[in-house]
């Protein structure tokens, strides 16, 4: 097997099952890698060495005792996006307002990870409350792209994508409200899935926009992503929008990697103008490889996708402004007293706390959302955006009559430079043109590496979209493409990434 930090989660699970390696060794190898490279990448907001090693020891002991109930993934470590509550471990959502908050309960996703016996290495960085496409909006400083440390690793889940691309964890969790799993995967040469809305529990995810938020798996291979999807997914009575149905057969689909006879729809509105030449080129080549593997291609027309971004940036701030009202200086996180007021009122404390605790992007969206929801404007903005959302869902329904899956580039460009778009919210928002329609319609989507753009040598991603609860199709197509591309590259794309500066212990 490769060095432990280079191995896939599937390889680690096999080796652990055969007792060729212990979970303590696997966890320690990752802790050593974190100590050596995280100074350069800044993927983690919190590392829990003790907790991870304790879980690893418990799994190793159970395995030594011949415990036959061990989960296949028992002992394989994981990193958790810091927007998911973890009992006893800090959860900041990348925000100063939650600095020091230690939740008294686990999110369902984390409870499932713990129940599977997977050691949690730590919590990964993100844009504050998952608002952003670069991690530059984190209250704790940006993460860096392992392919080029001057560039962004995507967002909001840039901590999770960079953790994978720098071999600081074989698996990570993400949340995707408008693309925060898929776009970071695309710009770092990793894989990420946004499951069908309701396919993975939202209980214990600190909400951004409840009707769009979806937790999902992130990994370096399609099979690993499926293995984690199977751990995280499934019905949860604690989430009122959870789907009461079995998890689609994602692992089997990833193993078979079969696209014979599949109809692949290329979305006309999500290619061409506005997409970087090298991104488009790698996308076209990937589609040709899928045809070689036995699929057929059709072009599909989704005219209302043009309005997706506008609708999203009304619906998301509206929901976010009400979800974030709970950060009132009374219940969670920090409390800041206003300067120069002797006996401040609750409102004055709240205002001072929210002013100090929230960053600019969060404030921008709260103001936008409050405005869009105010009486007199509600119908013109929020109501209208909901109608557009319906039209987008109808575009998808029509497209899926002629195609089994839809594809597009995941993001219009490769990773941009840190600082490049920070002062231009519109430019930042445009990163999500291709990913947002799936969130508006509640559909599953995946990003798989499609190669390096010739002009800058940086990773590009191909997005796959499927009908609700047909998440397994993403894995079939993703795995078929990965197989063809790995054969072409002679190994994983990340093998071509530059070495990171190491801090030796
Ligand atoms: N970049 C998008 C935004 O800023 C997506 C965020 C997300 O998926 N959490 O809203």
């Amino acid at each position: 097997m490769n060095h432990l930090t280079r191995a896939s989660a599937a390889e680690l699970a096999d080796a652990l099952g055969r007792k060729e390696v212990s979970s303590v060794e696997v966890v320690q190898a990752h802790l050593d890698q974190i100590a050596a490279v995280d100074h350069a990448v800044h993927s983690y907001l919190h590392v829990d060495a003790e907790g991870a090693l304790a879980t690893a020891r418990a799994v190793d002991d159970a395995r030594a005792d011949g415990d036959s109930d061990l989960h296949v993934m028992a002992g394989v470590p994981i990193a958790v996006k810091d927007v998911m509550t973890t009992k006893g471990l800090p959860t900041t959502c990348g925000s100063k307002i939650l600095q020091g908050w230690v939740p008294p309960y686990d999110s369902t996703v984390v409870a499932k990870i713990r129940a599977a016996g997977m050691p949690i290495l730590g919590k990964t960085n993100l844009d504050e409350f998952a608002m952003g496409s670069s991690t530059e909006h984190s209250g704790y400083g940006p993460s860096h792209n392992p392919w080029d440390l001057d560039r962004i690793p995507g967002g909001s889940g840039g901590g999770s994508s960079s953790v994978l691309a720098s071999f600081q964890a074989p698996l990570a969790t993400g949340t995707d409200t408008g693309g925060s799993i898929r776009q970071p995967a695309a710009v770092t040469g990793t894989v990420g899935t946004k499951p069908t809305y309701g396919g993975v529990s939202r209980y214990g995810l600190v909400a951004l926009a409840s009707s769009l938020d979806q937790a999902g798996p992130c990994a370096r291979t399609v099979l690993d992503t499926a293995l984690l999807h199977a751990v995280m997914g499934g019905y949860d009575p604690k989430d009122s929008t959870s789907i009461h149905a079995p998890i689609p057969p994602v692992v089997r689909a990833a193993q078979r990697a079969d696209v014979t006879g599949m109809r692949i729809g290329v979305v006309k509105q999500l290619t061409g103008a506005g997409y970087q030449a090298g991104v488009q080129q790698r996308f076209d080549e990937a589609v040709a490889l899928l045809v070689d593997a036995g699929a057929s291609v059709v072009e599909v027309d989704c005219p209302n996708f043009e309005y997706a971004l506008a609708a999203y940036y009304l619906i998301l701030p509206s929901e976010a402004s009400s979800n974030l009202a709970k950060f009132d200086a009374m219940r969670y996180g920090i409390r800041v007293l206003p300067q120069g007021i002797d006996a401040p009122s609750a409102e004055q404390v709240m205002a001072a706390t929210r002013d100090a605790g929230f960053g600019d992007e969060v404030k921008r969206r709260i103001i936008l959302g409050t405005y869009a929801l105010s009486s007199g404007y509600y119908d013109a903005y929020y109501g209208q955006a909901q109608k557009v959302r319906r039209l987008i869902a109808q575009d998808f329904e029509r497209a899926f009559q002629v195609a089994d899956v839809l594809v597009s580039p995941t993001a219009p460009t490769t990773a941009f430079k840190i600082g490049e778009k920070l002062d231009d919210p519109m430019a930042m928002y445009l990163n999500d043109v291709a990913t947002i329609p799936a969130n508006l319609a509640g559909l599953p989507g995946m990003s798989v590496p499609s190669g390096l753009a010739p002009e800058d040598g940086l990773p590009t991603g191909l997005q796959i979209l499927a009908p609700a609860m047909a998440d397994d199709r993403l894995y079939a197509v993703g795995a078929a493409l990965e197989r063809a591309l790995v054969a072409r590259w002679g190994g994983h794309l990340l093998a071509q990434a530059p070495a990171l500066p190491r801090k030796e212990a």
Side-chain angles (χ1 to χ4, degrees), residues 2 9 18 30 60 128 131 149 153 159 188 199 201 206 216 229 233 280 317 330 360 373 440 493 495 497 499:
N2 286 327
R18 287 196 301 266
H30 285 93
D60 287 342
E128 187 174 5
M131 298 182 193
L149 295 173
T188 56
S201 173
V206 181
H229 191 145
Q280 183 67 40
M330 307 296 145
D360 288 349
L373 287 179
L440 289 171
L493 185 65

Side-chain angles (χ1 to χ4, degrees), residues 130-133 155-156 175-180 208 312-313 316 365 432:
M131 298 182 193
S133 304
S156 64
T175 56
D176 192 311
T177 304
S180 285
L208 169 51
Y312 173 88
Y313 277 102
L316 177 135
R365 295 197 194 193
D432 307 319

